[in-house]
Amino acid sequence: MDLLHRIGVPLAAILIFLALWEGIVWWNGWPNYKMASPSDLPPAYARYWQLFLTMGWQTLWRTVAGLGLAVVFGTLLGMVMGFSRTARDGLYPLLVGFNAIPKATLVPVLALIFIGQHDFNTVLMAFLISFFPIAVSVGIGLSTLEPEYRDILRSLGASKLTIFWKIALPKTLPEFFGALKVSVTLAFIGTNLVEIVSPHGRGLGALFKSGETNGDYPLMFAVLIALAFLGILLYYAVVALERIFAGWAERPQH
């Protein structure tokens, strides 16, 4: 019953969204060159299915690579800030300032620095836009660790590594996975920024740009739905990992 609820409710929400979308387009009588409807998308998928498979994979692996780097770097940076107040006070203003910069403005900068390195630029942008939530959540989780727990373990002769493994890490996991769910969507945004803006772009972002150039609005909306599907796929992958490693933190709801 619980599995049926977990699958049925999101699926019903998606179907309701598509029905409302179709109804709004039909009610306003919009042609597909103004606003494509869900019924306009299957022909686009059928016509360009090979491009969707190829470019969808290109977008997915770059996003996952950038997200992986964000997890490693963000976790390490969060640990530094969590265990050192000096590091936290010094790094937080820099991180907040960097995160406030519109990442679209960095695309031409990266393109000039790393000329012709499209894959590297795309992965780098996915990393730059997604590591911030992870670093902040890990830093906050470690910095708010109750000192009583550390004092008890220290009095029992526990090392700093043992304290981290037994107390700090489990406490931080819920915040970490919450931030990772946000970072998944941010990584896709970073990937597509480069794919759309780059003149030699590949991936779903480049396919979207091709649809825009040719006035193929059903193709453009089909790309958006494909991106949404990949984002949902990665999101639930994170949810699965969360249940494995931090399922104990989820409180049952009635």
Side-chain angles (χ1 to χ4, degrees):
M1 183 65 180
D2 184 58
L3 179 61
L4 182 62
H5 181 271
R6 291 180 184 274
I7 297 175
V9 172
L11 185 59
I14 293 173
L15 292 176
I16 291 172
F17 167 76
L18 293 175
L20 288 174
W21 178 6
E22 184 77 30
I24 291 173
V25 175
W26 174 81
W27 179 264
N28 290 279
W30 289 330
N32 63 10
Y33 58 81
K34 183 175 183 179
M35 178 67 175
S37 64
S39 58
D40 294 321
L41 305 188
Y45 288 124
R47 183 178 181 182
Y48 301 107
W49 66 271
Q50 289 182 315
L51 287 176
F52 273 101
L53 288 178
T54 303
M55 296 191 172
W57 167 247
Q58 291 173 344
T59 295
L60 182 61
W61 81 257
R62 294 188 193 109
T63 302
V64 172
L67 185 63
L69 290 175
V71 168
V72 174
F73 181 78
T75 300
L76 293 176
L77 190 60
M79 290 173 63
V80 171
M81 294 189 296
F83 288 126
S84 171
R85 182 172 182 178
T86 301
R88 185 165 62 252
D89 292 341
L91 291 174
Y92 255 89
L94 296 176
L95 289 176
V96 172
F98 176 78
N99 197 55
I101 298 174
K103 299 305 179 287
T105 61
L106 296 180
V107 175
V109 176
L110 294 178
L112 287 174
I113 297 176
F114 306 105
I115 298 175
Q117 302 297 318
H118 177 73
D119 288 341
F120 179 80
N121 291 342
T122 309
V123 172
L124 182 59
M125 181 57 68
F127 158 72
L128 290 175
I129 204 171
S130 61
F131 83 90
F132 179 78
I134 297 173
V136 171
S137 67
V138 172
I140 292 176
L142 293 177
S143 64
T144 56
L145 181 65
E146 291 81 355
E148 295 83 3
Y149 294 145
R150 286 181 290 191
D151 293 339
I152 291 173
L153 288 177
R154 282 173 181 167
S155 66
L156 296 175
S159 64
K160 289 185 178 181
L161 180 61
T162 302
I163 294 173
F164 171 76
W165 189 257
K166 296 293 185 181
I167 300 295
L169 181 61
K171 182 185 181 299
T172 308
L173 281 177
E175 290 90 347
F176 168 77
F177 280 108
L180 187 56
K181 292 174 185 176
V182 177
S183 295
V184 163
T185 57
L186 293 177
F188 270 108
I189 294 173
T191 302
N192 280 275
L193 275 176
V194 179
E195 290 177 348
I196 292 174
V197 174
S198 175
H200 304 292
R202 297 184 297 274
L204 290 177
L207 189 59
F208 177 88
K209 188 67 177 178
S210 174
E212 180 187 18
T213 302
N214 296 306
D216 192 342
Y217 290 90
L219 174 60
M220 293 169 61
F221 280 92
V223 170
L224 294 179
I225 296 301
L227 286 170
F229 172 77
L230 291 179
I232 293 171
L233 191 68
L234 272 189
Y235 173 85
Y236 278 104
V238 173
V239 169
L241 291 174
E242 182 182 27
R243 290 195 180 125
I244 294 173
F245 295 104
W248 52 266
E250 183 177 354
R251 298 180 180 178
Q253 297 179 347
H254 303 285

